[in-house]
Amino acid sequence: MIRELFKTVSIFFTTYVLLLVESSYGDSSYYKRDNSLTRPYQGSGMVIPGWEIFGSTIVTPSFVRLTPDQQSRAGGLYNNNPLQVRNWEVHLHFKISGRGKELYGDGMAFWYVKDPLEQGNIFGAKDPFTGLGIFFDTYANQNGAHSHGHPYISAMINNGSLQYDHDRDGTHTEVAGCEGKFRNVERDTIALIRYENDILSVHTDFDGQGWKECFNVQGVILPTHYHIGVSAATGDLTDNHDVVSVKTFELTPPPNENEVDRRHVLPSAAHFAAPRARVDDQPQGMSNLKFFLIIVCAIVVLVILAALGFTFFQKHQETSRKRFY
């Protein structure tokens, strides 16, 4: 009973906070219901109107789980209705959690892409892709070339000719990125992805203290009529990857009324992040429980060695007496 009451209060508080966030944008944004996913997820069984799911994805009353905390899973969902507006903003409410304390993975991705998502090897979706990918990467590959810690958020613009390099954590194809502690946190984890007047920006709220800028990139060209989606994957390392909501807004249209039709332009970016030398992530500190267990095991081993030594000494003494007499 207490658990159900706590769950109800938590859902109410989350909804209230998100409504406050949405209201902060005033009249310059317009909610796009056909391109959004919110609770309660209407439909029957595993069906969500306007959205397609694939892979290991399951729908629950509280969230859409893309992958469970199990090995070698991949799943995702995408919006059937192409986003037709020039300037837009998406609030992605998600949760990444799991049992792993020091090793976990692999992560999830937000997509704005030309074709509806299919299952593949880039955070659960097909590679190569055409459009925008925002990656929430929780695992640092040993062959990576980066100067940042994980979890890490990065953006990639692709015209269909590039492939995401998992061994390098996407370092040489990203346009920008930032670190973000979004895994296994008690508060809501929300990312704001905004594309306005050829500027791509990402803000985050992972600690309940309001929006913090992750990055801001100018000179990004994205077409209209692409599909919104989210996907995730696990490998040898695992996590739960959950989507709570995807809320999409149309922003004020650009002032140039004679702008060329963006439907058929190729995605591009004027600048890419410069390649960086690899710096290994700092290892996490040892937990108190693990340290205690190591001490206990060391003491047990020492006691056993002492007992064996004492037994050997006694037998040696008895043998010596028999030889003497």
Side-chain angles (χ1 to χ4, degrees):
M1 182 69 180
I2 296 178
R3 182 180 297 178
E4 292 297 324
L5 179 60
F6 177 80
K7 185 176 180 181
T8 302
V9 172
S10 176
I11 293 175
F12 173 79
F13 179 76
T14 299
T15 303
Y16 177 72
V17 170
L18 290 175
L19 286 175
L20 286 179
V21 169
E22 291 162 15
S23 65
S24 66
Y25 291 92
D27 295 331
S28 62
S29 61
Y30 305 90
Y31 183 58
K32 302 289 291 183
R33 185 177 303 275
D34 290 342
N35 302 111
S36 299
L37 173 72
T38 57
R39 294 177 297 195
Y41 312 116
Q42 301 294 330
S44 58
M46 302 300 292
V47 176
I48 305 177
W51 293 79
E52 294 289 339
I53 65 176
F54 60 87
S56 59
T57 304
I58 62 172
V59 182
T60 78
S62 302
F63 52 80
V64 178
R65 174 152 291 171
L66 307 179
T67 75
D69 194 2
Q70 299 173 4
Q71 292 181 330
S72 302
R73 299 300 183 96
L77 74 162
Y78 64 87
N79 187 219
N80 283 328
N81 305 308
L83 184 57
Q84 301 179 20
V85 300
R86 166 74 171 74
N87 295 322
W88 50 265
E89 180 175 285
V90 172
H91 298 184
L92 175 62
H93 183 188
F94 66 99
K95 185 175 182 64
I96 299 178
S97 60
R99 294 164 294 178
K101 298 300 181 182
E102 296 179 4
L103 294 174
Y104 39 79
D106 286 331
M108 63 183 292
F110 166 84
W111 302 98
Y112 177 70
V113 289
K114 179 179 180 180
D115 301 313
L117 291 183
E118 297 179 22
Q119 187 170 328
N121 62 350
I122 175 171
F123 295 98
K126 184 181 69 172
D127 187 27
F129 64 93
T130 301
L132 164 70
I134 304 289
F135 307 128
F136 300 84
D137 191 353
T138 54
Y139 178 68
N141 288 286
Q142 295 303 313
N143 296 325
H146 55 70
S147 58
H148 56 75
H150 282 71
Y152 186 69
I153 306 169
S154 66
M156 177 178 174
I157 307 296
N158 196 353
N159 60 10
S161 64
L162 302 174
Q163 287 191 312
Y164 181 85
D165 190 342
H166 285 278
D167 289 339
R168 295 182 176 182
D169 296 312
T171 297
H172 295 285
T173 53
E174 73 173 39
V175 295
C178 73
E179 297 181 21
K181 303 302 181 182
F182 51 78
R183 182 187 179 273
N184 265 2
V185 296
E186 295 298 325
R187 294 183 177 273
D188 294 319
T189 48
I190 308 171
L192 184 156
I193 303 157
R194 176 186 294 161
Y195 179 66
E196 185 176 22
N197 297 331
D198 298 339
I199 300 174
L200 174 67
S201 61
V202 171
H203 293 72
T204 62
D205 184 1
F206 299 150
D207 55 12
Q209 300 300 314
W211 297 117
K212 297 179 180 179
E213 183 175 277
C214 174
F215 59 77
N216 185 301
V217 183
Q218 300 186 17
V220 174
I221 304 300
L222 292 176
T224 59
H225 293 76
Y226 274 25
H227 293 269
I228 289 173
V230 188
S231 68
T234 65
D236 292 334
L237 304 177
T238 66
D239 260 335
N240 295 311
H241 296 93
D242 303 330
V243 175
V244 180
S245 65
V246 180
K247 298 187 177 182
T248 304
F249 301 85
E250 177 183 3
L251 302 179
T252 303
N256 185 2
E257 298 293 339
N258 299 320
E259 187 181 34
V260 64
D261 185 1
R262 281 292 187 96
R263 191 176 309 192
H264 303 296
V265 301
L266 280 177
S268 64
H271 304 284
F272 286 83
R276 297 172 293 253
R278 176 179 172 84
V279 177
D280 290 332
D281 293 343
Q282 294 295 323
Q284 296 186 4
M286 187 179 298
S287 65
N288 292 333
L289 177 60
K290 181 179 292 186
F291 181 75
F292 173 75
L293 292 176
I294 291 175
I295 295 298
V296 169
C297 291
I299 292 174
V300 170
V301 170
L302 290 176
V303 169
I304 293 174
L305 291 175
L308 291 174
F310 181 73
T311 302
F312 176 79
F313 177 77
Q314 281 187 321
K315 289 184 178 182
H316 180 71
Q317 289 293 91
E318 290 176 0
T319 303
S320 297
R321 290 195 191 98
K322 289 177 181 180
R323 288 178 181 174
F324 180 77
Y325 291 108

